[in-house]
Amino acid sequence: MGNPILEIENLRTSFRIKDNYYAAVDDVSLTVKKNELLAIVGESGCGKSALAFSIMGLHSKANVEGNIYFKGRDIANISPAKLNELRGKEMGMIFQDSLSALNPLMIIGDQIDEIIYIHNNKLAKKDRKEKVIDLLDKVGILHPAFTYNQFPHELSGGMRQRVVIAMAIANEPELLIADEPTTALDVTIQSQILDLLKKLKEDIHAGIILITHDLGVVAEMADRVAVMYAGQIVEIADVYTLFENPLHPYTRSLLNSVPNSNVVQSELHVIEGIVPSLQNLPREGCRFSPRIPWVDSSAHEKNPELHEVNPGHFVRCTCYRNFYFPEKSKGDQHHVVS
Amino acid sequence: MSFLEVKNLKVHFPITGGLLGRTIDHVKAVDGVSFSIEKGKTYGLVGESGSGKTTTGRAIIGLNKITSGNVLFDGQDITNLRRSKMSARRDIQMIFQDPYSTLNPKKRVFDIVAEPLRNYENLSKREEKKRVQELLELVGLSPESIHKYPHEFSGGQRQRIGIARAIALKPKLIIADEPVSALDVSVQAQVLNFMQKIQKELGLTYLFISHDLGIIKHMCDRIGIMYKGRYVEEGTPEDIFTNPQHIYSRRLVAAIPDIDPRKREQQLQFRRTVKEEYEQSYNDYFDDKGLAYQLQPVSDTHLVALPGRG
Amino acid sequence: MWKFTVRRIGIMIPQIALLSILIFIMAKMMPGDALSGLIDPSIDPATIEAMRDRLGLNNPWHIQYVDWIKGVIQGDFGQSFRFKMPVTELISQRLINTFWLSLATLILTYLIAIPLGITSGRYNDTWADRLITGYTYVGFAAPLFIFALIMVWIFGFHFGWFPTSGSVKPGLSPGTFEYVLSKINHLMLPALSMALIATVTTVQYLRSEIIDTKQKDFVVTARAKGASESRVYNRHILRNSLLPIAAFFGYEITGLIGGTIFIENIFGYPGMGQLFLESITLRDFSVVTTVVLIFGIASILGALISDIILSLVDPRIRIK
């Protein structure tokens, strides 16, 4: 797989709510290698997007602690000017909502041109234009020279997402972060975009972080998977292990709650309770324990850590050893909440 | 006899233009759709954005004006009847995609759920409160939550409030328009299970509108696939998922990501083949305007939009 | 684009026609007519009546209206009772004076608004922002005529830096350098007084536009591209926030009309606003009618300019 492009150590990103700081990303460590696609999966509020924004240094009002090494250099604590040299050049980002991610008053060509110009202002405008048109062609835009002069609202969602991708790969970054790149798209468009990302992965040899809530997308794209719950990574494994031998109760529950198109299930698994809000996260003990109350409390660790159960397969807390799915009591699937 | 029957439904929206803003053309959002749902069953309507699936649902319940065609509910013609004038209308209710934007943020849960009761039934304050509490209990919310506001609930709970409101009048048919699309997977499962449970308990019939084929397959007894306002294929989940006949359905089915990472290569190959096939035979499956042909039966349960033979 | 403009102008024509009818009817409803002031009281009423007939003053109102509007289109607004001269002649010089005053005010308004709005929006919640917001609140609260009187007193009488009446120093011949300088000197104080008050709306508007744009996703995209903070502001935030301000330009003209009426009277500046109040007190109706008509048309044109600018600068509207 190659050398690590990105190494994150004990990252903690906190947001201020009233007078206190609350960590949305809490003690996250991970690595991404060259040519590798790491998927980060979790539900809304688990901290996966906050993690992506922390890596890119895009939080304007958050407190980011810990170390982020990009090619061996700590980028969590460098000057904005130094960071700007990396952003858009060696690190690219693909955003979820392509309509709001593009400037509505600027033509597509100028928006892609800008990212090239910022990092190489010696290149002549004419050459840059040629490069932009090549890029648009590369991401599968049918009439690149025409699209160059179009405004974002004139394009379909799928086309816009291609433009956002073209922008992210313009300077052939070594690390690409894709934050829910297909969530807003129709299935047939989604599969086209995923295929494009696969092709680009081979072309540009980047390390890719794919953030998603869609397990199908993970199964199709990832080399390794990190599952996040309540700001922490609860399980990391290679994609085959994760789908075939998931260990953490959250991973197992999540996999069981998706309607599987191959198997007909009479009922989907429901995770008890609700995802706690940032202020109400349990900060001590196993954060998932309130959602599996039938598992004996002695099964949890006091300070749950990631354990390497097999080479490369990490699971947080010891509760996975005692976890089982409860017998389904008839007609009482939903938990009454006040 | 079928419970809901939609016959050659058309919903066209005018496009205005020119200097005087006259109608110059129509958007044929729904262009000749026919299907029927049997009592107690779930009918799935699938399609991508712009396929007309939502417009179809809204037209049935009277939120979009029907240009032509008929909607028969329990044997009665309800085409373009005003909601207020129709006793049958209370038997049809709708659940919307975004549970937050369809609940009035300034109203308490009690008033939200009681609203349809106030419109249709004359209940005393006490009866009304009792009914609302029963409904909330039915959807798995504690009776104390009646005094709260929508923002105090999570997404899944808000969708349950929406469902409680929809079932308040004991409807017979529920049109669910992307009811779980805005929710996280685990919450999605809660709502889907719950919808199945009340279907059994209350004998409900569902028209389930979604773009997610996995969910449609999980929920539905019969499925219709729409494309640009027309049907391309209709059949049982078996017909649609294991034996899709129309090139568009095949493409749609091929696009679903497989949850098994070992099948990745296979899936990629399959998708490529289908894509090539789609591009090559596009003209065979669509007319010169790029629209689907009329449905033709290929088996007892399975209909496909194929070019007219003879 | 041209289609939109043509349609927009098409809407404007009936607006102006309706405006002229309303003004005409109101003028007719006022007591007296062109002859009441002119005529020697000793003349026989029958003769006056014959004169009225001859002038068409006894015709039904719509025929009179058509006669009037025919004149208006040819630039003939009738006679001023008070000044005993054609209204057109009376107004032309004042119209030019008001035009220069308005232009100077507009330029000053934007010269003040843009830097203040940008500072306030970019560095919101700093002391500079609080200072600027404080000024805008004072501006909102202070009535223009009181503020203008204070300005006259301080800079006109107390310091004597600026003249306190007229539009040019008497005795200078038009076209000379001194003449132009004197014109500017006479303009400065009224224009500045008006601009200082009128600008607060624009400052506030620009501030909230910038704060709003700062939080847009495309700004995050720009940062992810590696754009420096100054580039993010200049290329993305400012540009996108200034466009709605540009579109507001036309409506500023409407606002100016109200302002000039006060300002010209307080500063004794011979423009349309001063003429307007004078003519009302003197019941010089043909002048009042003309001034109202011109003000009305200016407002309608202002709205037109706004719509056209908006359609020019915003591609999302331009396409339609």
Side-chain angles (χ1 to χ4, degrees):
Chain A
M1 277 286 171
N3 304 317
I5 295 278
L6 183 77
E7 286 175 278
I8 298 175
E9 280 173 11
N10 310 101
L11 185 75
R12 211 180 131 88
T13 303
S14 321
F15 294 100
R16 194 177 157 163
I17 301 171
K18 287 178 190 142
D19 285 330
N20 289 307
Y21 276 93
Y22 296 92
V25 177
D26 206 347
D27 193 27
V28 165
S29 300
L30 51 82
T31 60
V32 184
K33 301 190 193 82
K34 201 175 161 154
N35 286 340
E36 181 189 47
L37 194 146
L38 173 75
I40 298 178
V41 66
E43 296 182 281
S44 42
C46 73
K48 54 190 195 301
S49 286
L51 172 62
F53 272 56
S54 306
I55 298 169
M56 293 290 287
L58 291 173
H59 286 300
S60 51
K61 278 178 187 158
N63 191 4
V64 181
E65 298 157 272
N67 301 316
I68 303 170
Y69 296 101
F70 178 72
K71 295 202 290 182
R73 180 171 163 203
D74 191 353
I75 56 166
N77 306 301
I78 59 171
S79 70
K82 287 264 158 54
L83 186 62
N84 276 337
E85 284 173 17
L86 296 174
R87 293 199 287 207
K89 186 162 192 279
E90 297 184 45
M91 308 192 298
M93 183 143 177
I94 300 168
F95 295 93
Q96 180 183 159
D97 182 356
S98 60
L99 185 60
S100 61
L102 294 170
N103 188 333
L105 303 180
M106 237 168 140
I107 58 168
I108 299 297
D110 285 347
Q111 305 204 37
I112 304 176
D113 181 90
E114 186 178 27
I115 195 168
I116 301 171
Y117 173 80
I118 289 170
H119 298 286
N120 182 5
N121 56 20
K122 292 197 180 71
L123 204 62
K125 171 88 187 165
K126 197 177 100 261
D127 298 332
R128 294 202 307 267
K129 181 165 181 176
E130 211 168 279
K131 204 176 161 189
V132 171
I133 290 175
D134 279 351
L135 275 165
L136 288 172
D137 185 52
K138 193 172 178 181
V139 295
I141 300 267
L142 283 178
H143 308 289
F146 180 69
T147 301
Y148 186 96
N149 289 310
Q150 282 186 297
F151 285 97
H153 70 275
E154 297 175 80
L155 304 178
S156 69
M159 296 277 267
R160 273 199 304 265
Q161 197 58 35
R162 284 169 196 271
V163 168
V164 170
I165 292 173
M167 208 152 77
I169 62 162
N171 294 318
E172 304 195 347
E174 292 177 61
L175 177 72
L176 191 59
I177 301 175
D179 186 7
E180 303 262 14
T182 59
T183 306
L185 305 172
D186 276 325
V187 262
T188 54
I189 312 294
Q190 162 170 299
S191 70
Q192 288 168 18
I193 298 289
L194 293 180
D195 285 349
L196 171 67
L197 284 175
K198 274 183 220 163
K199 201 174 136 270
L200 291 173
K201 188 187 152 201
E202 285 156 26
D203 285 0
I204 62 174
H205 304 292
I208 301 179
I209 296 179
L210 175 70
I211 289 164
T212 182
H213 68 280
D214 189 331
L215 290 163
V217 170
V218 175
E220 221 171 83
M221 302 289 293
D223 297 312
R224 276 196 308 135
V225 187
V227 182
M228 279 186 83
Y229 179 79
Q232 294 179 319
I233 291 178
V234 294
E235 188 161 3
I236 299 191
D238 71 84
V239 69
Y240 303 106
T241 311
L242 195 99
F243 279 88
E244 284 155 18
N245 184 28
L247 291 178
H248 195 277
Y250 179 62
T251 316
R252 290 175 63 189
S253 310
L254 212 52
L255 283 166
N256 262 356
S257 60
V258 188
N260 187 336
S261 53
N262 298 322
V263 198
V264 177
Q265 300 132 293
S266 61
E267 218 169 314
L268 301 168
H269 175 69
V270 168
I271 304 174
E272 273 210 38
I274 53 161
V275 178
S277 64
L278 195 51
Q279 292 125 291
N280 301 324
L281 278 188
R283 300 281 170 190
E284 271 175 15
C286 178
R287 296 187 179 188
F288 197 60
S289 62
R291 308 199 61 183
I292 45 170
W294 63 88
V295 172
D296 195 67
S297 59
S298 64
H300 298 287
E301 268 178 296
K302 251 216 175 88
N303 293 306
E305 282 175 27
L306 279 174
H307 304 280
E308 188 163 21
V309 287
N310 277 307
H313 188 178
F314 293 84
V315 185
R316 193 175 291 272
C317 194
T318 46
C319 59
Y320 73 91
R321 294 190 197 128
N322 298 53
F323 177 73
Y324 57 94
F325 284 111
E327 283 285 315
K328 277 172 189 161
S329 51
K330 264 198 184 146
D332 195 29
Q333 266 306 296
H334 52 274
H335 180 66
V336 174
V337 279
S338 54
Chain B
M1 192 191 65
S2 43
F3 192 55
L4 178 80
E5 195 168 356
V6 175
K7 284 193 211 158
N8 205 16
L9 179 76
K10 289 186 183 174
V11 181
H12 295 180
F13 298 113
I15 306 172
T16 56
L19 278 181
L20 298 168
R22 272 178 309 194
T23 305
I24 49 170
D25 205 349
H26 286 90
V27 180
K28 297 177 177 174
V30 180
D31 195 25
V33 160
S34 305
F35 63 90
S36 59
I37 311 179
E38 279 170 46
K39 195 164 178 147
K41 300 282 182 189
T42 303
Y43 188 98
L45 207 52
V46 204
E48 298 187 291
S49 42
S51 63
K53 56 186 193 304
T54 296
T55 313
T56 305
R58 292 173 60 92
I60 292 170
I61 201 166
L63 293 171
N64 281 132
K65 202 177 172 304
I66 295 173
T67 310
S68 73
N70 293 90
V71 180
L72 299 170
F73 175 69
D74 215 2
Q76 194 189 348
D77 193 324
I78 58 163
T79 317
N80 281 342
L81 278 180
R82 284 221 198 107
R83 273 192 79 81
S84 55
K85 288 190 180 168
M86 266 288 305
S87 65
R89 285 288 186 212
R90 58 176 291 182
D91 291 337
I92 309 177
Q93 292 294 326
M94 192 150 180
I95 303 172
F96 297 91
Q97 172 174 0
D98 182 352
Y100 197 55
S101 67
T102 52
L103 300 178
N104 186 340
K106 287 180 194 136
K107 280 188 173 176
R108 290 174 193 276
V109 170
F110 178 77
D111 295 308
I112 291 171
V113 177
E115 194 196 329
L117 295 172
R118 288 172 192 162
N119 290 343
Y120 285 99
E121 283 179 22
N122 276 320
L123 295 176
S124 70
K125 282 277 159 221
R126 262 184 63 195
E127 283 172 320
E128 190 180 271
K129 193 173 174 190
K130 200 170 149 248
R131 276 284 286 281
V132 171
Q133 280 177 335
E134 280 168 9
L135 284 164
L136 289 177
E137 213 165 316
L138 193 65
V139 297
L141 295 169
S142 74
E144 297 89 65
S145 51
I146 58 171
H147 299 301
K148 293 191 180 175
Y149 290 95
H151 72 264
E152 297 176 69
F153 294 89
S154 69
Q157 290 169 341
R158 282 199 288 258
Q159 193 56 291
R160 289 177 186 201
I161 298 169
I163 294 175
R165 179 175 61 178
I167 61 174
L169 294 167
K170 301 200 176 82
K172 295 180 178 128
L173 172 71
I174 288 185
I175 298 173
D177 185 10
E178 306 267 10
V180 294
S181 301
L183 307 174
D184 271 321
V185 265
S186 66
V187 186
Q188 220 171 53
Q190 273 177 25
V191 174
L192 293 178
N193 283 352
F194 172 70
M195 284 182 70
Q196 285 183 325
K197 181 179 158 252
I198 58 168
Q199 178 169 39
K200 274 184 222 135
E201 286 174 9
L202 305 174
L204 294 171
T205 307
Y206 286 137
L207 174 60
F208 198 102
I209 299 167
S210 178
H211 70 282
D212 189 324
L213 288 145
I215 291 172
I216 286 281
K217 190 181 178 189
H218 176 76
M219 294 292 288
C220 302
D221 303 296
R222 202 169 165 75
I223 297 165
I225 300 180
M226 282 184 79
Y227 178 70
K228 289 191 186 168
R230 292 191 184 175
Y231 259 48
V232 295
E233 193 156 353
E234 192 193 15
T236 61
E238 177 81 9
D239 294 331
I240 299 287
F241 286 93
T242 54
N243 186 25
Q245 292 290 307
H246 196 279
I247 186 68
Y248 179 74
S249 323
R250 284 230 271 281
R251 194 150 179 228
L252 212 54
V253 171
I256 314 171
D258 199 305
I259 201 97
D260 182 356
R262 303 249 177 227
K263 289 193 185 145
R264 212 181 257 187
E265 267 311 299
Q266 196 189 324
Q267 185 75 9
L268 187 68
Q269 276 313 316
F270 174 52
R271 210 173 279 163
R272 268 193 199 138
T273 326
V274 171
K275 196 186 168 209
E276 268 166 37
E277 197 192 350
Y278 183 85
E279 276 155 12
Q280 276 167 14
S281 55
Y282 185 85
N283 291 331
D284 301 338
Y285 284 91
F286 297 103
D287 65 14
D288 46 0
K289 284 180 191 156
L291 298 173
Y293 293 103
Q294 289 292 307
L295 287 178
Q296 317 268 349
V298 294
S299 81
D300 290 348
T301 55
H302 197 171
L303 297 123
V304 185
L306 296 170
R309 280 163 291 190
Chain C
M1 173 57 210
W2 69 268
K3 248 190 191 173
F4 172 82
T5 313
V6 169
R7 195 188 307 164
R8 189 61 189 69
I9 290 171
I11 294 169
M12 204 182 77
I13 290 165
Q15 277 179 336
I16 291 177
L18 190 69
L19 174 80
S20 67
I21 292 173
L22 284 175
I23 291 170
F24 183 78
I25 290 173
M26 278 184 335
K28 282 288 127 186
M29 276 158 59
M30 293 190 206
D33 59 31
L35 296 181
S36 329
L38 270 179
I39 286 154
D40 190 334
S42 59
I43 293 179
D44 172 28
T47 325
I48 296 177
E49 205 49 31
M51 222 156 153
R52 285 215 164 95
D53 261 347
R54 194 161 47 80
L55 286 170
L57 293 175
N58 287 337
N59 290 338
W61 73 269
H62 57 271
I63 293 175
Q64 288 192 43
Y65 170 73
V66 171
D67 290 343
W68 175 68
I69 206 80
K70 268 186 199 154
V72 166
I73 290 167
Q74 288 158 13
D76 175 13
F77 293 91
Q79 286 277 346
S80 160
F81 310 153
R82 159 108 177 101
F83 295 95
K84 310 273 193 286
M85 63 194 285
V87 176
T88 318
E89 214 171 288
L90 177 69
I91 274 177
S92 57
Q93 188 49 46
R94 287 169 176 262
L95 194 60
I96 292 166
N97 281 344
T98 298
F99 171 79
W100 287 118
L101 176 63
S102 304
L103 187 72
T105 309
L106 271 180
I107 292 170
L108 287 172
T109 302
Y110 286 104
L111 276 182
I112 300 166
I114 291 171
L116 290 191
I118 288 172
T119 314
S120 190
R122 178 166 178 176
Y123 306 104
N124 66 309
D125 292 332
T126 59
W127 62 266
D129 172 41
R130 277 182 214 120
L131 215 65
I132 293 166
T133 329
Y135 157 59
T136 62
Y137 289 147
V138 172
F140 274 125
L144 177 59
F145 61 94
I146 290 182
F147 178 72
L149 282 174
I150 295 171
M151 293 287 278
V152 173
W153 185 78
I154 295 176
F155 297 104
F157 293 110
H158 191 266
F159 291 114
W161 295 347
F162 293 102
T164 53
S165 73
S167 77
V168 71
K169 207 165 141 195
L172 293 168
S173 54
T176 58
F177 184 64
E178 280 89 33
Y179 182 82
V180 175
L181 267 188
S182 165
K183 274 258 176 198
I184 293 173
N185 196 26
H186 280 79
L187 267 180
M188 276 318 284
L189 196 57
L192 191 66
S193 308
M194 196 154 46
L196 279 171
I197 295 293
T199 200
V200 295
T201 333
T202 317
V203 173
Q204 280 276 337
Y205 192 26
L206 187 55
R207 175 183 186 267
S208 60
E209 269 308 316
I210 289 175
I211 291 172
D212 204 38
T213 313
K214 276 207 292 201
Q215 286 151 359
K216 291 274 166 69
D217 285 352
F218 65 81
V219 173
V220 178
T221 308
R223 293 210 168 93
K225 282 176 175 177
S228 63
E229 209 50 16
S230 62
R231 193 181 175 88
V232 168
Y233 268 91
N234 296 333
R235 300 271 305 185
H236 294 277
I237 297 175
L238 290 189
R239 223 168 85 159
N240 289 52
S241 329
L242 280 173
L243 294 185
I245 303 290
F248 212 65
F249 173 76
Y251 295 107
E252 292 275 355
I253 295 175
T254 316
L256 280 177
I257 293 169
T260 49
I261 293 174
F262 287 117
I263 288 291
E264 287 178 4
N265 278 290
I266 290 162
F267 288 87
Y269 185 85
M272 298 281 284
Q274 194 197 33
L275 179 66
F276 179 65
L277 277 193
E278 246 177 77
S279 316
I280 287 180
T281 38
L282 298 169
R283 302 186 174 240
D284 197 349
F285 296 128
S286 57
V287 178
V288 175
T289 321
T290 311
V291 174
V292 171
L293 187 67
I294 288 171
F295 282 164
I297 290 172
S299 309
I300 292 171
L301 279 175
L304 174 78
I305 291 170
S306 272
D307 284 356
I308 291 176
I309 292 178
L310 193 66
S311 75
L312 274 177
V313 295
D314 195 330
R316 286 163 296 189
I317 294 175
R318 192 178 350 170
I319 300 307
K320 283 179 194 164

